[in-house]
Amino acid sequence: MQEIHLKTERKTQLVDITAQVQQALGDSNGAAAALVYIPHTTAGVTINEQADPLVARDLENALQKIVDDGWDWKHVEDPDGPNAPSHVRSSLTSTQILVPLQEGKLALGRWQGIFFCEFDGPRDRKVIVTSLA
Amino acid sequence: MQEIHLKTERKTQLVDITAQVQQALGDSNGAAAALVYIPHTTAGVTINEQADPLVARDLENALQKIVDDGWDWKHVEDPDGPNAPSHVRSSLTSTQILVPLQEGKLALGRWQGIFFCEFDGPRDRKVIVTSLA
Amino acid sequence: MQEIHLKTERKTQLVDITAQVQQALGDSNGAAAALVYIPHTTAGVTINEQADPLVARDLENALQKIVDDGWDWKHVEDPDGPNAPSHVRSSLTSTQILVPLQEGKLALGRWQGIFFCEFDGPRDRKVIVTSLA
């Protein structure tokens, strides 16, 4: 089990962590898959296009539309506004993704990258990477 | 492979099953991760905050807003109303989650819990727990 | 690691691939779970009801309502219209699903099937199937 540490810069921000995940895997010794796990409740992880950065921006905007900050939220934590919508966005993307490995390399599709999804930044965040047999 | 049985009480209800999942894992003998799998099509599983129960209530309400009961649904099963939206909510949360294990313990983040997501209750439900090497 | 190849026929289309996944697994030799992975960024995979095909049609329609083609999208690739919403639908369903195995058979619930989710068809598509110990 390896950890990746990152610092996000915006309230809602997708960060490409593909290279860090591959590096964390190191010599994965014939493992079959890599589990990328987010131990936070207002963040997530997703796989999507890394070639055009505008796809990540569209995802950020879409998740803010799908889950509206203006809905009637019960959970209020921050004095500067509710982060309840951030929790819902986390569950919509999921806190984990499993990627097959081929000779130790992430068997991602040609256009795919792994994105950390910040929904309540800026914050210091952690990602757990585990290889499975 | 272990089974957890539970009885839900409301149409849409998140139930914290973290303790039952940990118990089902028993002595997982150095396993790397735990797969929590829902064998139903109108239920799901998600990881989110367990500290404030209002987060679960917000998630229930949000999923009912994101997927509207009033849309024009084709699948009609129950005489007392369509459960098609329940199927969509199941796919939005997913029917499975994989959590890394550290010395047999679920390596959840500080605020995280595992929630069974009922979208067509009340019902008797089952959860499958499998450990992976 | 096995590959399934399929050809989709519509822009948004769920295709039941349960039988192909089971066949790809072959003699999985006591494996604990099967990873079904989609190496595309405008497609996904989900588990839902296979008994009534209208559930899949409802899911197609719902994902088009949840993510609106008319929103202000930044990523423009195709001359005949943006496929940015397709990328978001991919992340909402996820590009991977993990199913427990029991004596080599997918331990799906009674009503469950595995669906390839096309969000930018028609296209030639690929699915990767890997068994985990």
Side-chain angles (χ1 to χ4, degrees):
Chain A
M1 192 181 290
Q2 300 294 319
E3 287 186 8
I4 296 168
H5 294 264
L6 70 158
K7 204 188 213 22
T8 58
E9 288 162 359
R10 292 183 277 115
K11 169 81 173 177
T12 301
Q13 180 187 15
L14 267 68
V15 182
D16 188 338
I17 56 169
T18 313
Q20 290 99 309
V21 171
Q22 182 64 63
Q23 190 179 12
L25 285 167
D27 179 5
S28 51
N29 264 332
L35 169 59
V36 181
Y37 186 81
I38 311 299
H40 305 291
T41 59
T42 54
V45 62
T46 198
I47 288 179
N48 220 304
E49 179 179 328
Q50 42 70 29
D52 178 5
L54 292 180
V55 172
R57 299 299 85 72
D58 278 333
L59 254 162
E60 294 165 2
N61 291 339
L63 282 158
Q64 288 181 302
K65 280 187 198 290
I66 294 166
V67 183
D68 196 318
D69 284 343
W71 289 346
D72 183 32
W73 301 101
K74 294 173 195 293
H75 169 70
V76 178
E77 187 180 271
D78 294 324
D80 47 81
N83 73 349
S86 314
H87 288 283
V88 177
R89 290 169 195 138
S90 167
S91 278
L92 287 184
T93 50
S94 174
T95 56
Q96 56 90 56
I97 198 99
L98 188 63
V99 183
L101 293 171
Q102 202 156 32
E103 294 167 30
K105 297 286 175 199
L106 295 161
L108 293 166
R110 179 178 176 191
W111 306 102
Q112 290 184 323
I114 303 172
F115 290 86
F116 179 87
C117 306
E118 174 63 82
F119 297 121
D120 198 27
R123 291 205 193 200
D124 292 310
R125 297 295 202 174
K126 198 164 80 175
V127 178
I128 294 171
V129 180
T130 304
S131 58
L132 301 178
Chain B
M1 191 183 290
Q2 300 293 320
E3 287 186 9
I4 296 169
H5 294 263
L6 70 157
K7 205 186 211 28
T8 58
E9 288 162 1
R10 291 183 278 115
K11 169 83 174 176
T12 301
Q13 180 186 16
L14 267 69
V15 182
D16 188 338
I17 55 168
T18 314
Q20 290 99 309
V21 171
Q22 182 63 64
Q23 190 179 10
L25 285 167
D27 179 6
S28 51
N29 265 331
L35 169 59
V36 181
Y37 186 81
I38 312 299
H40 304 291
T41 59
T42 54
V45 61
T46 197
I47 288 179
N48 219 304
E49 180 178 326
Q50 42 70 29
D52 179 4
L54 293 179
V55 172
R57 299 297 85 72
D58 278 334
L59 253 162
E60 294 165 3
N61 292 338
L63 282 158
Q64 287 181 301
K65 281 187 198 288
I66 295 166
V67 183
D68 195 318
D69 284 342
W71 288 345
D72 183 31
W73 301 101
K74 294 173 196 293
H75 169 71
V76 179
E77 187 180 90
D78 295 324
D80 47 83
N83 73 350
S86 314
H87 288 283
V88 177
R89 289 170 195 138
S90 167
S91 278
L92 286 184
T93 50
S94 176
T95 56
Q96 57 89 54
I97 199 97
L98 188 63
V99 182
L101 292 171
Q102 202 156 32
E103 295 168 29
K105 297 285 176 202
L106 294 162
L108 294 166
R110 179 178 176 189
W111 306 103
Q112 289 183 324
I114 303 173
F115 290 86
F116 178 87
C117 307
E118 175 63 82
F119 296 122
D120 198 28
R123 291 205 193 199
D124 291 310
R125 297 294 203 174
K126 199 164 80 175
V127 177
I128 295 171
V129 180
T130 304
S131 57
L132 301 180
Chain C
M1 191 183 289
Q2 300 293 321
E3 287 187 8
I4 295 169
H5 294 265
L6 70 157
K7 204 186 215 23
T8 58
E9 287 162 1
R10 291 184 277 115
K11 169 81 174 178
T12 301
Q13 180 186 16
L14 266 69
V15 182
D16 188 337
I17 56 168
T18 313
Q20 290 98 311
V21 171
Q22 183 63 64
Q23 190 179 13
L25 285 167
D27 180 5
S28 52
N29 263 333
L35 169 60
V36 181
Y37 186 81
I38 312 298
H40 305 291
T41 58
T42 53
V45 62
T46 197
I47 287 178
N48 219 303
E49 179 180 327
Q50 42 70 29
D52 179 3
L54 293 179
V55 172
R57 299 298 85 74
D58 278 335
L59 254 162
E60 294 165 3
N61 292 338
L63 282 158
Q64 287 180 302
K65 281 187 197 290
I66 294 166
V67 183
D68 195 318
D69 284 343
W71 289 345
D72 183 31
W73 301 102
K74 295 173 195 290
H75 169 70
V76 178
E77 188 180 88
D78 294 323
D80 46 82
N83 72 349
S86 313
H87 288 283
V88 177
R89 291 170 194 139
S90 167
S91 278
L92 286 185
T93 50
S94 175
T95 56
Q96 57 91 57
I97 199 97
L98 188 62
V99 183
L101 292 171
Q102 202 156 31
E103 295 168 30
K105 298 285 175 200
L106 295 161
L108 294 166
R110 179 179 175 189
W111 306 102
Q112 290 184 322
I114 304 173
F115 290 86
F116 179 87
C117 307
E118 174 63 82
F119 296 121
D120 198 26
R123 290 204 193 200
D124 292 310
R125 298 293 204 175
K126 199 164 81 177
V127 178
I128 293 171
V129 179
T130 304
S131 58
L132 301 179

